[in-house]
Amino acid sequence: MAEYQVVCGRLSQIVFQNEENGYAVIRLTADDGEEITATGCMPALGLGEELTLYGKWITHPSYGEQFTAESFERHLPESVRGIADYLGSGIIKGIGQRLAEKIAHTFGEQTFDILQNEPEKLCEIRGITLKKAKLISQQYIEMSEMRLLMDFLLENGLPVWLTPRLYKRLGIDAMDALSENPYLLCDEYYEIDFALADSLALNLGLSRVSDERIDAGVIYTMTFNLSNGHTFIPIEKLVIAACSLLSDEEAEILPENIVDSINRLEMRAMIVREQIAGRDAVYLRQMYEAEDFLAGVLKDLATKHYKYEFNLEDLFIALSEDSDVEYAPLQKKAIIWAAQYGVSILTGGPGTGKSTTVKGMLKLFESLGLHVVLAAPTGRAAKRLSELCDMETKTIHRLLEAGYGHGGRLSFQRGLTNPLDCDVVVLDEVSMVDISLMQALVAAMPKGARLVLVGDADQLPPVGPGNFLRDMILSGKVPVTELNEIFRQAQKSDIVMNAHAINSGKMPTASGKDGDFFIMRKADTASVVQTVTELCKNRLPNYYGLNPSQIQVLSPSRRQGAGTMQLNRSLQEALNPESPDKNEKRFGDIVFREGDRVMQIRNNYDIVWERVDGSDQGTGMFNGDVGEILQIFTLQECLIVKFDDKIATYTFDMLDELELAYAMTVHKAQGSEFEAVVVALSSGISKRLLTRNILYTAITRAKKLLVIVGSQETISTMVNTNNKGRRYSALKARMNIEEE
């Protein structure tokens, strides 16, 4: 701690506290009466506590001098006044300030001991029943356990923001569970690197060559690779990666140690090893079960061939007589197949008529008396499909009635035992769906229901594991209609034509003066950011009459080069600058301001919303939903966000679920369309993000105008880097395994 400055004082005010991660803004009263503002991760605070903070002084541009705490020590208050403030601070539900003062004055210095060991004595105070006394005691004990857990984390060099998460999932057993198995921290829920969990294990005396450590390293390596899109890892690659993770100067882990671990984990049914797709594949059990389940169900659906007493094509022709839509032969085939087969796939690039085809399917399903539900992976994709088809579309999570189960784990109300009420499921933007979510959807389909999969296989694969759509198409086991004719109307769009050119490995060509596709040659980050900002603030609104809200900036990256973080800062300053007429709220490195465009960055099924017109209300906002901050209420510590026709309230402890959305990554934009798109391609972006399918996906987000700001070299690199689908997945192979 020697390199840190130290401040001490009594906690006099909690300005802000995020219960999820422990981040707090507080005020301390020092012994000399000085008021100190401090920030940092400090979970489970209570007024009156004596705090010792270790950190440094900074000068905040808006809030002036404050202390940033890197770590801290705490002591429960000992004075009657301090105890009353602590109990009355809201840390224990059911105790207000008046009752807190009665308890503190009655029991004095013995208060905390009575809360812990003799709660029945609280009944001496009028208004406290035995039931209430036990409830108060239980909460105090839980708070004490959380304090002990936090101290345990600090002692072992672990971040204290883990405290609320550990306690939420493991309760009072958290410390015992950690001591028994430090590697439980490697669960993605905790967002902890293996090295930190490993450090705790070694601190607790676990040997570097112990079976427990090696097993944990193998599981972590496999779990980490899920984020790279792999459903399995070839054993030879797993051995190399796990050896690298676990070996250090003090101990070398040998390949045979990893193989022994794989055998142990297989015996415990935690992993599955199988020869498939020409590989000696090692799966986490849940990934194996997802692949195996999907292959089994979808092969069965593909064999279902529904017979009718009439000719489906004649029926559809009759239904289309009053329509001004002339369906191409491939479109007709896709529509008929959707009604004939248990599962079918419709794919194709922009301008090939996928939306028109889906509307034709719905018309045929309606005439057959079939109950159809529409679904998409994101809120914006669902909204777009709903507008195109004039029919309600739900996100997959909403359709499956997702919620939080025990310990904050995602669960679905709809499944094998409680299937959906429908005859057909039409799923759009399938390229975005990983195999775990696909497994959940297929499991919820009622017996005899049809499944229609719609998507562009040339767009980005899902963020999660697998490459479901591509694997299904390549399996050859499912009826697939690939629309490849660009309709005459779409041929007038340089956006559409360039998207197809890029997809075939050709460089895009800029439009003439009155076109819709432009390239501005810039290379360095500063020039790209400046040009993008000028385009959004002045040039595009002035020349094309676009409102800045109609323009979406996209970048392949968040932090590198002209990434979304730098772009958002510049665009916010230009489009929604600081003003005395606009309230704002700083959260970490982000300033949220009234009028800002923001995006929900994770699924939250509990946020309450209501329609703008007051006609309806519900719960749930989802990853990728974009809205505008209408109002910020500093005293009430909340802000109001308008998402299309919904209004939702966010308390300040929920702000980690929002980020600025003037610019977003291409991955976040998938499934959405915008009037105008500006793509920022500066130098300094990682080569792994400079790929053809990222460029293709970015361009196909634009409806009327597309501007690329970047160098010829960067564009050329992206066009020539065609590495889509390079994931370890065996779904295609499983679809082709013949049943014995």
Side-chain angles (χ1 to χ4, degrees):
M1 300 284 182
E3 68 270 29
Y4 292 132
Q5 296 171 290
V6 181
V7 299
C8 303
R10 176 176 168 273
L11 179 57
S12 55
Q13 184 182 359
I14 301 173
V15 180
F16 168 75
Q17 177 90 69
N18 186 325
E19 293 183 4
E20 183 68 23
N21 59 26
Y23 178 82
V25 180
I26 63 173
R27 290 197 175 95
L28 298 179
T29 303
D31 291 341
D32 60 2
E34 182 187 3
E35 290 286 327
I36 298 168
T37 298
T39 66
C41 184
M42 296 173 280
L45 293 173
L47 295 180
E49 288 188 276
E50 296 292 333
L51 301 180
T52 302
L53 309 183
Y54 302 90
K56 58 185 178 182
W57 287 98
I58 65 166
T59 301
H60 193 280
S62 300
Y63 303 112
E65 193 174 45
Q66 57 184 230
F67 193 82
T68 300
E70 297 290 333
S71 62
F72 73 109
E73 297 173 1
R74 64 203 302 174
H75 305 281
L76 287 172
E78 296 179 354
S79 69
V80 171
R81 179 72 265 161
I83 293 170
D85 287 347
Y86 179 81
L87 295 178
S89 66
I91 201 164
I92 297 177
K93 292 181 175 68
I95 299 183
Q97 187 61 44
R98 186 173 295 179
L99 183 56
E101 289 176 359
K102 287 182 181 179
I103 294 172
H105 282 287
T106 303
F107 302 110
E109 295 178 359
Q110 300 179 23
T111 298
F112 295 125
D113 183 62
I114 286 170
L115 291 176
Q116 179 92 27
N117 302 308
E118 299 178 278
E120 63 276 2
K121 287 189 175 182
L122 293 175
C123 298
E124 296 175 16
I125 297 174
R126 188 175 178 182
I128 299 182
T129 63
L130 183 60
K131 182 179 179 181
K132 185 171 182 176
K134 288 181 177 179
L135 185 61
I136 290 171
S137 175
Q138 181 185 347
Q139 290 185 71
Y140 176 75
I141 291 170
E142 288 177 356
M143 191 61 60
S144 298
E145 292 290 338
M146 192 178 290
R147 291 167 64 95
L148 289 172
L149 175 60
M150 186 190 66
D151 292 341
F152 176 81
L153 295 175
L154 285 169
E155 288 169 7
N156 288 280
L158 292 166
V160 291
W161 56 257
L162 275 173
T163 308
R165 293 193 186 186
L166 283 164
Y167 202 82
K168 183 177 181 179
R169 178 163 288 188
L170 301 171
I172 61 173
D173 299 322
M175 198 158 62
D176 289 341
L178 268 181
S179 299
E180 184 177 337
N181 178 21
Y183 297 106
L184 64 81
L185 289 173
C186 294
D187 188 300
E188 62 181 355
Y189 175 74
Y190 301 113
E191 300 179 347
I192 286 293
D193 186 78
F194 179 83
L196 278 174
D198 198 36
S199 158
L200 173 60
L202 297 174
N203 285 348
L204 295 175
L206 195 68
S207 167
R208 278 179 162 77
V209 295
S210 66
D211 291 350
E212 292 84 355
R213 180 173 184 262
I214 296 173
D215 291 353
V218 170
I219 292 293
Y220 177 83
T221 301
M222 298 183 70
T223 303
F224 179 82
N225 273 279
L226 295 179
S227 62
N228 292 327
H230 306 306
T231 61
F232 71 82
I233 308 178
I235 191 169
E236 67 274 12
K237 293 187 178 294
L238 176 57
V239 168
I240 293 170
C243 281
S244 176
L245 176 72
L246 294 164
S247 296
D248 57 26
E249 295 178 354
E250 297 186 40
E252 182 183 5
I253 305 301
L254 301 173
E256 50 261 40
N257 301 135
I258 304 302
V259 173
D260 288 343
S261 173
I262 292 169
N263 292 333
R264 284 193 300 272
L265 292 167
E266 188 176 18
M267 289 289 292
R268 289 155 52 192
M270 293 179 69
I271 65 173
V272 176
R273 185 175 175 185
E274 184 182 31
Q275 294 288 333
I276 192 164
R279 301 277 189 176
D280 189 349
V282 186
Y283 287 86
L284 291 170
R285 173 158 289 279
Q286 63 266 35
M287 287 296 102
Y288 172 82
E289 290 176 348
E291 266 194 8
D292 189 60
F293 174 82
L294 282 171
V297 174
L298 292 168
K299 278 196 293 184
D300 182 61
L301 281 176
T303 63
K304 294 257 188 320
H305 194 171
Y306 295 91
K307 305 287 186 183
Y308 300 90
E309 296 178 354
F310 46 85
N311 186 289
L312 275 176
E313 188 169 352
D314 289 344
L315 172 63
F316 182 68
I317 291 171
L319 290 170
S320 304
E321 285 181 352
D322 296 332
S323 170
D324 57 358
V325 178
E326 185 176 345
Y327 295 93
L330 281 176
Q331 290 178 303
K332 288 180 184 176
K333 184 180 80 169
I335 292 166
I336 302 304
W337 278 8
Q340 280 185 334
Y341 292 102
V343 58
S344 61
I345 295 174
L346 172 67
T347 187
T352 58
K354 291 196 301 297
S355 299
T356 301
T357 307
V358 170
K359 287 192 279 188
M361 291 176 181
L362 296 178
K363 183 181 293 186
L364 182 58
F365 289 143
E366 183 183 8
S367 73
L368 296 171
L370 299 176
H371 178 204
V372 182
V373 295
L374 302 182
T378 67
R380 292 188 71 85
K383 182 175 184 289
R384 184 166 60 87
L385 185 61
S386 182
E387 291 170 348
L388 287 168
C389 298
D390 193 25
M391 179 177 167
E392 182 185 21
T393 304
K394 295 182 178 180
T395 65
I396 300 173
H397 289 85
R398 187 181 292 279
L399 182 67
L400 300 181
E401 298 175 19
Y404 297 118
H406 177 69
R409 297 180 187 273
L410 179 64
S411 63
F412 299 104
Q413 296 300 309
R414 296 288 187 171
L416 288 170
T417 59
N418 183 27
L420 297 166
D421 180 18
C422 64
D423 302 305
V424 185
V425 175
V426 178
L427 177 62
D428 196 16
E429 297 288 353
V430 183
S431 63
M432 299 176 65
V433 184
D434 64 40
I435 68 162
S436 298
L437 188 54
M438 200 69 221
Q439 178 193 22
L441 177 63
V442 170
M445 289 182 56
K447 189 174 181 180
R450 299 159 176 81
L451 176 63
V452 180
L453 302 169
V454 184
D456 184 349
D458 294 316
Q459 289 190 27
L460 294 170
V463 174
N467 201 346
F468 173 78
L469 179 60
R470 179 163 290 276
D471 282 351
M472 293 299 296
I473 292 171
L474 295 176
S475 74
K477 294 296 184 180
V478 176
V480 177
T481 305
E482 183 177 2
L483 303 179
N484 49 30
E485 177 186 352
I486 305 173
F487 285 88
R488 188 175 298 131
Q489 189 64 29
Q491 291 177 13
K492 299 176 182 178
S493 168
D494 290 328
I495 295 172
V496 171
M497 301 309 292
N498 275 310
H500 286 275
I502 289 167
N503 202 30
S504 21
K506 300 174 183 174
M507 288 290 288
T509 305
S511 303
K513 182 179 178 182
D514 297 322
D516 60 8
F517 190 103
F518 301 95
I519 301 173
M520 301 185 70
R521 309 292 183 190
K522 305 290 179 183
D524 65 281
T525 297
S527 297
V528 170
V529 172
Q530 183 181 356
T531 302
V532 168
T533 303
E534 174 64 15
L535 282 167
C536 295
K537 183 181 180 181
N538 296 315
R539 296 174 68 173
L540 297 185
N542 292 342
Y543 191 83
Y544 292 96
L546 291 165
N547 189 296
S549 64
Q550 296 175 293
I551 307 166
Q552 183 60 58
V553 177
L554 302 180
S555 172
S557 75
R558 280 179 56 81
R559 293 181 173 83
Q560 300 168 340
T564 58
M565 295 182 70
Q566 186 167 349
L567 286 164
N568 271 317
R569 285 193 293 268
S570 179
L571 289 163
Q572 183 190 45
E573 184 179 344
L575 302 176
N576 190 31
E578 184 178 2
S579 166
D581 299 326
K582 294 180 179 180
N583 291 329
E584 60 182 50
K585 169 64 183 175
R586 177 170 287 276
F587 186 81
D589 295 330
I590 302 175
V591 174
F592 293 107
R593 187 172 296 135
E594 290 175 348
D596 276 337
R597 190 190 310 173
V598 293
M599 177 170 45
Q600 176 78 19
I601 59 173
R602 66 173 67 101
N603 294 331
N604 186 325
Y605 309 100
D606 299 326
I607 294 178
V608 178
W609 54 261
E610 63 177 349
R611 301 286 182 197
V612 173
D613 60 7
S615 64
D616 189 20
Q617 62 180 23
T619 59
M621 300 306 306
F622 301 94
N623 188 2
D625 289 346
V626 175
E628 177 188 350
I629 298 177
L630 297 182
Q631 291 177 288
I632 297 177
F633 299 99
T634 304
L635 293 177
Q636 292 84 355
E637 297 189 352
C638 68
L639 53 82
I640 310 298
V641 183
K642 180 175 179 286
F643 295 94
D644 297 319
D645 64 341
K646 299 175 183 176
I647 291 178
T649 300
Y650 288 74
T651 56
F652 285 175
D653 63 349
M654 297 164 61
L655 293 182
D656 60 341
E657 299 189 11
L658 295 174
E659 64 181 28
L660 296 176
Y662 300 99
M664 65 177 70
T665 64
V666 179
H667 282 86
K668 286 288 188 184
Q670 194 169 357
S672 302
E673 286 187 338
F674 311 94
E675 291 295 301
V677 169
V678 179
V679 185
L681 301 176
S682 75
S683 58
I685 297 174
S686 169
K687 285 189 175 181
R688 68 179 181 83
L689 295 173
L690 299 179
T691 63
R692 183 186 301 175
N693 57 352
I694 286 181
L695 182 59
Y696 173 78
T697 302
I699 287 170
T700 53
R701 300 309 91 203
K703 291 196 292 187
K704 295 181 179 179
L705 180 67
L706 188 289
V707 183
I708 295 176
V709 182
S711 68
Q712 183 81 0
E713 182 183 0
T714 301
I715 298 170
S716 177
T717 298
M718 298 182 82
V719 170
N720 293 313
T721 306
N722 186 26
N723 64 356
K724 62 187 177 185
R726 294 181 182 176
R727 298 181 168 201
Y728 293 120
S729 165
L731 182 59
K732 172 188 168 186
R734 291 189 194 284
M735 292 291 295
N736 284 280
I737 295 175
E738 299 296 330
E739 302 295 336
E740 297 182 358

